[in-house]
Amino acid sequence: MKIGFIGLGIMGSRMARNLQKAGYDLKVYNRTKEKAKELLENGAKWANSPAEAGKEVDILFTMLENPDVVEKLATGKEGFLSSMAEGSLWIDSSTVNPSFSKRMAEAAKEKNIRFLDAPVSGSKKPAEEAELLFLVGGEPSDFDKAKPLFQKMGKDAVHIGENGKGAAMKIMINQLLGQSMLAFSESLNLGMAMGIDKKMGLDILLKTPVTAPILDVFRYRIENNDYEPNFPLKHLQKDLHLFTETAYELGQPSPLTSAAKEVYGLAKHKNMADMDFAAVFKYLHEKE
Ligand code: NAP
C-alpha cells in the first residue's frame, strides 16, 4: 500500500514517522522541505508539489494548519485532488470545522475520491509515541480500510458518524481545553494577586475535582515559564474560532467561547502566537 503524507509540522512529522516505522512506503510533501529530512533519510520519497504527493498513492493524509491551507493544497494550483486516482482515499487529520470537512468530502466525491475527516486528540508527545486518538467521520468501509493505519499512529480510532462528525467532536474537545486553561489561569493569577503562594495555588487547584485533569500536564510550564510549543497558541485560538463559526452557522449561542477566543487573540498580539497555548497564563499574569 502506498501512502502520501502532506504537512510535516509538529504533529504530521511524528505521525508520518510512525507510519514509516511500521513499514509503509511514504511519499511526503511539506512547504518547508527541511522538516522532511528525517523521513527522507529513512527512505521516504519527496514530492515536489501537493499534486505529486497525491499521485499514485492509495491513501493520502493531510495534517495542515487550518481550513484555508487544506483547501489551497487540495484544490489550488498543483492541488492533490487533481492528481489522486479514482477510488483512492484522502484522510484529513487537520483540525477544521465540520462544514468545511463536508465541503471537502463533496469536492473529493466529484472526482470519485473517498474522504475521511480524522482529526486527532493528543499533542506532540502522543503523536511521537503513537498514542493519539482518531475521531473519524465518513463511510464505515473507508474507516475500516484506514483503521490499521490509525492504529500505527494512535492508541485508538473511533468512528463518530458521517463526514463532518470527526471534526465536530474535535472542536468540542478543544473548546473545553481552551476554556479550562483560561479559567485556570485566571483563577491562579487572582490567587497570586491575593497573596496565595504560586506553588500552593497550583498544588490545591490541581487536586480539586473542579479542575480539568489535563491541566496537571501544564503545571511545569507555569512554574518554569516554559512555553516551548507542543500545541501553538495560534492553533488553539483557531480552534475556538472554528467552534464559534460553527455555532453561528447552526444558530447556537457560544458566549464563553467567543470571549475566550478574544483573550487568546490578545495574547497573539503580545508575540505569543507561536508559544504553547498555556502561555495564556503568562498573558494574564505579566504586567509589563
Ligand atoms: P504546525 O507545526 O504549525 O504545522 C502546520 C503545518 O501546516 C506545516 O506542515 C506547515 O508547513 C503547514 N502550513 C501552514 N501554512 C501553510 C501554507 N500557507 N501553505 C502550505 N503549508 C502550510 O502545526 P501542528 O501542531 O502540527 O498542527 C497541525 C494541525 O493539527 C492543526 O490543524 C492543529 O490544530 C492540529 N492539531 C495540533 C495538535 C498539537 O498539539 N500541536 C494536536 C492536535 C491537532 P511548514 O512546515 O512549511 O510551516
Side-chain angles (χ1 to χ4, degrees):
M1 182 184 280
K2 285 190 181 144
I3 312 287
F5 208 112
I6 298 181
L8 305 172
I10 294 172
M11 299 295 286
S13 57
R14 290 168 172 82
M15 292 162 68
R17 183 75 185 112
N18 281 329
L19 288 177
Q20 191 175 53
K21 281 184 192 161
Y24 288 102
D25 271 346
L26 287 189
K27 187 150 57 140
V28 298
Y29 170 81
N30 194 51
R31 178 180 60 177
T32 310
K33 186 174 178 184
E34 208 179 293
K35 294 187 193 171
K37 193 167 175 275
E38 190 187 351
L39 290 162
L40 298 178
E41 282 169 1
N42 284 290
K45 289 194 186 65
W46 175 250
N48 279 313
S49 66
E52 207 178 305
K55 203 170 171 186
E56 291 162 6
V57 296
D58 302 291
I59 297 186
L60 177 70
F61 282 91
T62 45
M63 190 54 167
L64 295 161
E65 182 157 338
N66 59 38
D68 287 349
V69 175
V70 174
E71 184 158 26
K72 187 178 87 170
L73 271 53
T75 64
K77 190 168 171 273
E78 299 190 289
F80 54 81
L81 284 182
S82 66
S83 64
M84 286 179 74
E86 289 195 13
S88 61
L89 175 62
W90 168 25
I91 302 177
D92 186 24
S93 286
S94 323
T95 304
V96 299
N97 46 322
S99 59
F100 175 79
S101 283
K102 286 187 215 161
R103 196 153 61 72
M104 289 301 104
E106 283 304 313
K109 197 174 171 187
E110 277 171 24
K111 297 185 179 290
N112 288 323
I113 294 163
R114 321 286 312 162
F115 177 80
L116 292 174
D117 42 300
V120 297
S121 179
S123 193
K124 182 176 168 181
K125 195 159 174 266
E128 183 137 354
E129 294 173 356
E131 286 285 316
L132 295 170
L133 169 64
F134 285 81
L135 307 160
V136 187
E139 287 295 326
S141 56
D142 293 328
F143 174 74
D144 291 343
K145 185 174 176 188
K147 200 166 179 192
L149 298 174
F150 294 145
Q151 285 168 336
K152 299 295 183 230
M153 296 183 278
K155 60 181 175 192
D156 203 2
V158 186
H159 183 240
I160 312 282
E162 73 273 17
N163 282 134
K165 289 289 193 293
M169 200 68 227
K170 174 63 188 173
I171 60 170
M172 288 162 64
I173 293 172
N174 276 22
Q175 184 260 9
L176 283 174
L177 180 65
Q179 302 272 17
S180 304
M181 190 70 231
L182 177 55
F184 182 82
S185 296
E186 195 171 312
S187 179
L188 180 64
N189 186 53
L190 184 67
M192 289 164 66
M194 292 188 294
I196 303 281
D197 172 67
K198 188 183 193 178
K199 183 177 177 312
M200 172 77 77
L202 283 163
D203 281 348
I204 304 284
L205 286 181
L206 289 170
K207 271 190 206 135
T208 62
V210 295
T211 299
I214 182 80
L215 294 179
D216 205 29
V217 170
F218 301 97
R219 176 186 183 128
Y220 80 95
R221 294 190 174 281
I222 294 175
E223 283 192 314
N224 304 318
N225 201 24
D226 174 357
Y227 298 106
E228 171 79 26
N230 285 351
F231 183 29
L233 186 142
K234 63 183 177 191
H235 295 345
L236 190 275
Q237 191 222 9
K238 176 259 301 181
D239 295 350
L240 297 182
H241 175 68
L242 299 176
F243 188 96
T244 56
E245 191 180 6
T246 305
Y248 178 79
E249 286 169 6
L250 298 176
Q252 296 296 320
S254 59
L256 294 181
T257 314
S258 297
K261 169 183 137 180
E262 295 307 325
V263 179
Y264 286 97
L266 289 165
K268 262 169 72 176
H269 274 203
K270 294 283 180 194
N271 292 325
M272 295 179 181
D274 292 314
M275 293 183 187
D276 194 81
F277 81 105
V280 75
F281 173 78
K282 180 181 170 75
Y283 171 71
L284 292 179
H285 184 64
E286 284 182 356
K287 286 196 177 131
E288 278 181 312

